[in-house]
Every structure is written in structure tokens, then in C-alpha cells.
Amino acid sequence: MKIGIIIAIERELKSFLESGAAITEEHLNNRVIYHTEMYGHEIAAMRSGYGEIDAAAATQLLITHCGIDIVINFGVAGALVPGLMVDDLFLVEKVCHYDYDVSPIDPVKKHQYEEYPDEFIRLDEGLREMVLEKMPSIRTVTVASGDRFVEETEDKHNLAALGCQICDMEIAAISRISLQSGIRCLSIKCISDTFEGDGGDFNTNVIRSAEKAFATLREILQVL
């Protein structure tokens, strides 16, 4: 199976690059695609960069250029509700692109794309059920995804009111582009900064939390 892996930033990519696998680099359109094999799968991985625009471009490039069958995203996320701890792992069920809103001009809800029944983009149910069967203790989660790092308490309350428990800056784009291309999508997130935390906590924990998310991804690759 051909699997595309999207990782946002260099510090999250570190765990993949140091996995011990033989990795080759392909340079394309000012991007680097890392090719390797893991557990019988062809892997094409890419660091997208922060934010929805770069994540969308990276996802489409992997789909178009590499002919992948599944897109997997792993990385860190911030907590929007109290009680979530650094290193808590989550399987993404659905995502709200909270920066998106055409409700003043179209008959949709705020944050809703017209082809979806509500304001949430749902990731592949079959892949999610497979992971839950393998790892019944992992929790599913709804993500608020947008183009800014969220650290103010008021912002966290507002995003949690949408029905979201964690936030990131890429999975709305990754999941939407995957769905538009008919490609299944899966995402594993690990908390790097808690509800009480801020950017300092992110910087402290990002490498460790990304390593834990990547270790979970490796377990998943063994059962795909």
C-alpha cells in the first residue's frame, strides 16, 4: 500500500527521520518528499509547514505526484478543555475549520462547507474503526483547525463551544483535500500544550509528544 504522511513542522518530523528506516529524498517544487518502506508499505512523507494553505498544498502534491492510497497525519495539538494532559493521545473523528465562514452569502451554517451536512469534516470511518479495534483505549476527538496558534483562554472557550476538544493548524486542509481526491484520511494527535498552557509549553513538549504520536502511527502501519 502507498501511504502519504503529512507532518507540520521540523520538530515533529524529527521522530520520522530518526526512525531507523532507510530514507531517500526527492526534491520537487521547493519541497522535500521522504521515501521509505515500513511494514511492507511504500511511504512518502512530507513536512508541510504551519497552517492550512501549506498543508493543503503538501497533501495535494503527495496525492498527485506519489499516487498514494491513504493520507495519514500525525503531530501535536493543543487542549481546548481542562483535564487533558501532555502526552494524551487522540484519534481524530472530525474537524471544524473555524476560520471558514460563507454563511452570510450561502444557505449554510457558520464554518460549514456546502457539500457536508454540518460544520464538521469527517475523517475515514473505516480506518478509524480499524484503529479502535487495535487500540480500544485511544480516545476519539473533534478538532478545531485554523491558521493561528491558540493560547488565550477566551479563544479556547469559544472553540470548545463548537464541540471541539483540541486544536491544530493543518488537519482541516489535510482531510478536506483528501476527501476531495477520494483518498482515505487518518490523523493521530498528541497533546503538547494543556488548557492552562501556552506557546512555551508547546516548545517544551512538541518533540516528545510528536514521538509518542509517531510511535502510535507505527503500530497502525502494522495492521493496515
Side-chain angles (χ1 to χ4, degrees):
M1 189 178 296
K2 294 183 178 180
I3 296 174
I5 299 178
I6 302 289
I7 305 120
I9 62 173
E10 193 73 35
R11 284 172 288 175
E12 293 173 306
L13 179 66
K14 183 175 183 289
S15 56
F16 171 81
L17 294 179
E18 297 179 355
S19 64
I23 297 173
T24 60
E25 296 184 8
E26 178 184 6
H27 294 258
L28 181 67
N29 297 348
N30 296 316
R31 300 265 196 174
V32 180
I33 303 174
Y34 301 94
H35 294 278
T36 190
E37 290 188 7
M38 288 184 176
Y39 309 106
H41 302 294
E42 295 180 39
I43 305 294
M46 181 179 290
R47 178 181 63 83
S48 66
Y50 285 121
E52 307 294 347
I53 293 174
D54 284 358
T59 304
Q60 190 64 67
L61 183 59
L62 280 187
I63 290 171
T64 302
H65 179 68
C66 299
I68 58 178
D69 302 304
I70 294 174
V71 170
I72 301 180
N73 161 250
F74 80 87
V76 303
L80 296 176
V81 294
L84 302 185
M85 307 298 292
V86 171
D87 287 351
D88 280 353
L89 276 167
F90 294 96
L91 175 65
V92 178
E93 178 181 357
K94 56 186 178 179
V95 54
C96 175
H97 186 189
Y98 65 83
D99 283 330
Y100 182 80
D101 182 16
V102 294
S103 61
I105 55 174
D106 285 343
V108 293
K109 299 177 182 178
K110 194 173 183 179
H111 317 306
Q112 181 185 1
Y113 288 90
E114 63 178 357
E115 66 265 42
Y116 304 139
D118 53 31
E119 61 269 45
F120 298 105
I121 304 168
R122 288 164 174 80
L123 279 68
D124 188 81
E125 183 178 358
L127 289 176
R128 188 170 64 252
E129 289 179 352
M130 181 210 68
V131 174
L132 289 171
E133 183 176 351
K134 169 73 174 177
M135 305 172 182
S137 63
I138 195 169
R139 288 176 280 178
T140 58
V141 73
T142 301
V143 184
S145 191
D147 277 312
R148 57 193 175 92
F149 186 90
V150 178
E151 65 175 350
E152 298 297 329
T153 300
E154 182 180 359
D155 291 336
K156 294 179 182 181
H157 282 305
N158 291 337
L159 294 177
L162 299 175
C164 302
Q165 297 83 46
I166 67 174
C167 60
D168 90 332
M169 297 177 63
E170 294 83 29
I171 191 57
I174 295 168
S175 58
R176 177 161 170 75
I177 295 299
S178 297
L179 284 170
Q180 286 185 318
S181 301
I183 302 296
R184 294 185 292 166
C185 182
L186 178 74
S187 180
I188 301 292
K189 296 293 187 182
C190 188
I191 297 295
S192 59
D193 42 300
T194 65
F195 178 79
E196 296 80 14
D198 55 21
D201 295 282
F202 169 86
N203 286 323
T204 298
N205 300 316
V206 57
I207 292 176
R208 186 184 78 193
S209 296
E211 287 174 347
K212 187 168 183 179
F214 179 62
T216 302
L217 183 150
R218 293 186 70 156
E219 291 185 53
I220 293 169
L221 290 176
Q222 296 178 57
V223 298
L224 279 177

